[in-house]
Amino acid sequence: MIIAAAQFASVPGDIETNAARMAALVTEAAGRGAGLVLFAELALTHYDLTAIAGDPEKLAVTPDDARLAPVRDACRTSGVAAVVNAPGRTAGGGTPTIASFVYGPDGALVTRYDKRHLFGPENEVFAPGTADGRFVLGGVRFALATCNDNNFPDVAARAVADNCGVYLASSFHGTAERVARYADLARENGLQVLLANGTGVGSPGPACGLSGAWLPSGERVAAAGAGAGAGAGAADGGAELVLADVRDRITLMGDPEIAAIGVRECGDPLVDVRAATPALLVAGGRRDERGAFAYLRQGVLRRLLEAQEALPAGLRLEFVEGYRPPGLQRRYFEEYAAELRAARPDWDAARVHQAAGRYVSPPDIAPHSAGGAVDLTLVTSDGGYVDMGTPINASPEESDGACYTGAAGLTPAARENRRVLGAALGAAGLVNYPTEWWHWSYGDRYWALATGADHALYGPKELGR
């Protein structure tokens, strides 16, 4: 998964113009393979405390503010999430906050984070938040922080304690020396860090730009320039995108966070999709003695049909594999682990187990063995080929990572087809395992992680029981 920090010179007080620039940057980032775009502190209005304090009715917004529609629409159209920082209205019309609105790839609000540690004069204009900002996207758990938050070591420490892999900072820093301290934050906490920093002159003075990305080692791997003055320069406000790959921060099936999720079996039956719904195309060539591959939990099948109805004209789903008996799942896992051991004799058992979980789920928690997962693709209405970037079941090794849903370097057609598939399935309530574009599930442990559910609905099940 690629994520991007967007740096541009906001026009002071002009929400419509700034929202349009944000929407354009979301679209540009999508074209460059990004799945999320982060914006700087108060980028929607510019960091002008006097103006915000003078007219909070105009400049403070809610997540559904009509002026933010271009951003929400760009997210929905491009299949990209966005983190927009703005003066945020509070319930009951109280003092506004410095808020980060996280919009998902469908344009809907995922979460809101209100800055907890206000800086100096901000206390005269805003109220502090009281809760940490967290969300999961593409199998990655993200932490949110805003400018002065990053001066408090406990903020990053809590992110680590909450199993976050990536730390997103929306800021308005004035010096390169202050920006350089993100290397320490990354290294000391083992976090991958992305900074979107402001530009131009704001209430604290000039911001220095230099948005960037740091690895958990502290190495800086991407950086923007110093940027332009507020509202100055080109029509795009001197915009730059800083991109970083967070593939290594994806929560894998074999990670402890997945095994720790409990199951409350709901009793939803396994049904044969071939008999239950002729409307769903089942790929030829897949066979087993009992036809187990064609079974799914009833709730998953219902959602697949909803997703198919939502596809654009001329496209349909092709079902490839659903249920997988626990014994077969164990065999698949052990065979792939053996391939990895042969290819990487320097890896210890724990590393082999973790790496194998990128591609084959460990048997005890496998979504396929619970009947909650399906491997599928798009085809034309008459069953013709649609470019998805790789064949189904291409491993990370043989596809050079192109099997990852958010992989860089896909053709525009493959990227768009994956977006279309994801939009339909996501709207129907399924979640993707981000190392495999074709693997979607509902009700299993990975679904619980991705949606924030406190338990899974489906556990391992034997066919006929």
Side-chain angles (χ1 to χ4, degrees), residues 25 83 134-135 147 155 214 253 332 384 444 458:
L25 284 163
V83 182
R134 306 283 187 264
F135 67 98
C147 207
V155 173
W214 291 261
M253 286 291 185
Y332 284 171
D444 64 299
Y458 305 146

Side-chain angles (χ1 to χ4, degrees), residues 6-9 40 171-176 178-180 182 195-200 206-212 214 220 223-228 238 240 242:
Q7 179 177 295
F8 74 100
S171 299
F172 199 85
H173 296 309
T175 67
R178 177 61 191 87
V179 169
Y182 283 94
L195 165 69
N197 197 37
T199 65
C208 66
L210 304 177
S211 299
W214 291 261
R220 187 166 188 167
E240 288 188 70
V242 171

Side-chain angles (χ1 to χ4, degrees), residues 258-263 364-367 443-450 456 458-460:
I258 303 301
I261 295 171
V263 178
D364 294 341
I365 56 89
D444 64 299
R445 285 181 168 99
Y446 209 87
W447 166 85
L449 171 86
Y458 305 146

Side-chain angles (χ1 to χ4, degrees), residues 417-441:
N417 291 333
R418 290 189 187 186
R419 185 199 67 78
V420 169
L421 179 67
L425 293 168
L430 286 91
V431 303
N432 173 242
Y433 186 45
T435 70
E436 301 174 346
W437 61 261
W438 57 84
H439 177 110
W440 291 79
S441 67

Side-chain angles (χ1 to χ4, degrees), residues 176-244:
E177 291 76 15
R178 177 61 191 87
V179 169
R181 286 163 55 189
Y182 283 94
D184 297 331
L185 188 153
R187 182 173 54 254
E188 291 169 5
N189 295 281
L191 290 165
Q192 192 155 342
V193 175
L194 184 71
L195 165 69
N197 197 37
T199 65
V201 178
S203 296
C208 66
L210 304 177
S211 299
W214 291 261
L215 296 178
S217 64
E219 177 188 358
R220 187 166 188 167
V221 291
D236 65 356
E240 288 188 70
L241 288 171
V242 171
L243 277 69

